Every structure is written in structure tokens, then in C-alpha cells.
Amino acid sequence: MILIDCARLLRARFDRALDDARLGLTAGEARALVYVCRHPGSRQSVLATHMWVEPMTLVGFLDRLEARGLVVREPDPADRRAKIVRPTPQAEPLALQVLEAFRTERESAMADLSAEEIVLLKDMLGRLRNRMIADDRGGAGQ
């Protein structure tokens, strides 16, 4: 339960940081914007997989980002049924503000941990995530 509690508390901190920054983005929209900027030209389905959200959830975020002129969606030349998502020039500065707000909150949340403890925590959480991904895909341990 402690991992779930920490995740919820951190998410609440991120929500407050976005509100305080007055960026006009929900946490989901902010996260989608960052992923679009990190993976420009990706299919919507690929972005949803990276974000661990359902494709229809991502569509709602992208609809609102597109309405604000932050992303564009265009048909994939390899498969016209699929959509490619690209950030607009206005997206990158906003994504950087989102990342800065998240960084500030993350650092504040981990202020009582030493640099070595942070490295260890990140390593352990990464291994936990990889184990769960492998288990979900029928990998090791099955």
C-alpha cells in the first residue's frame, strides 16, 4: 500500500504544481504533451503504450491539446487509418515548463533522501516496473 500511497500523493503534488504554474493543462494533458514532444511523429497507439493509458484516454487529451494549437495529428503515410502526432512550435516551451514543475515537486518530495538513496530507489522502482511489464507480457517467471 505504501507504493500506491506515494504514487497518489506525488500525483496530487503534480496537480497542484500545474495549477500553481497556471499552464491551463490537466495532469493528463501535461503528460501527453511531454510524451508527444519526446516522441514526435509517433502514432497515437504508440504514445498510448508509452504512457500506459488506453488509446481512447489519450485521444481525449490530444483533442484538447490540438484545440489549443499544441499538437497536430495527420494520417500515417504507411497506414491512413492510423494518426501521427507531432508537437507544434508552441508545444516545446510549454512542455519544458511542465517538466520543470514536475522536477521541482519530485525534488521536494525526495528532499529527505541522500543522493545514494535516490539512486537506489530509482533502481529498485525500475526493476519493479520491468518485472511487472515482463509478467504482464507473459515473460520471466511464467
Side-chain angles (χ1 to χ4, degrees), residues 10-72:
L10 192 56
R11 180 167 290 193
R13 289 176 82 122
F14 287 163
D15 288 345
R16 280 192 307 274
L18 286 173
D19 287 345
D20 292 347
R22 294 183 177 16
L23 302 177
L25 297 171
T26 66
E29 293 163 358
R31 195 165 164 251
L33 181 65
V34 168
Y35 273 84
V36 168
C37 288
R38 284 185 175 164
H39 306 280
S42 292
R43 285 185 178 186
Q44 287 181 178
S45 59
V46 171
L47 289 171
T49 299
H50 284 309
M51 292 177 62
W52 292 95
V53 298
E54 293 296 320
M56 287 308 298
T57 300
L58 178 60
V59 166
F61 298 148
L62 293 177
D63 286 346
R64 292 187 294 278
L65 293 173
E66 190 171 40
R68 286 190 57 186
L70 297 170
V71 302
V72 292

Side-chain angles (χ1 to χ4, degrees), residues 82-95:
K83 297 287 186 192
I84 297 291
V85 185
R86 298 185 197 288
T88 65
Q90 297 84 0
E92 190 66 32
L94 194 57

Side-chain angles (χ1 to χ4, degrees), residues 66-142:
E66 190 171 40
R68 286 190 57 186
L70 297 170
V71 302
V72 292
R73 290 181 278 190
E74 49 201 38
D76 183 341
D79 180 354
R80 290 225 170 270
R81 296 168 296 173
K83 297 287 186 192
I84 297 291
V85 185
R86 298 185 197 288
T88 65
Q90 297 84 0
E92 190 66 32
L94 194 57
L96 291 174
Q97 288 179 284
V98 167
L99 289 171
E100 179 61 22
F102 286 178
R103 183 194 61 75
T104 299
E105 287 306 313
R106 192 174 50 251
E107 286 179 359
S108 174
M110 295 192 296
D112 292 338
L113 301 176
S114 70
E116 295 81 17
E117 288 171 322
I118 292 170
V119 168
L120 183 59
L121 177 62
K122 287 179 180 181
D123 177 65
M124 290 187 301
L125 289 172
R127 290 185 355 233
L128 178 62
R129 179 185 57 200
N130 291 342
R131 162 55 48 204
M132 289 188 290
I133 290 169
D135 287 350
D136 284 351
R137 292 182 181 155
Q142 297 284 323

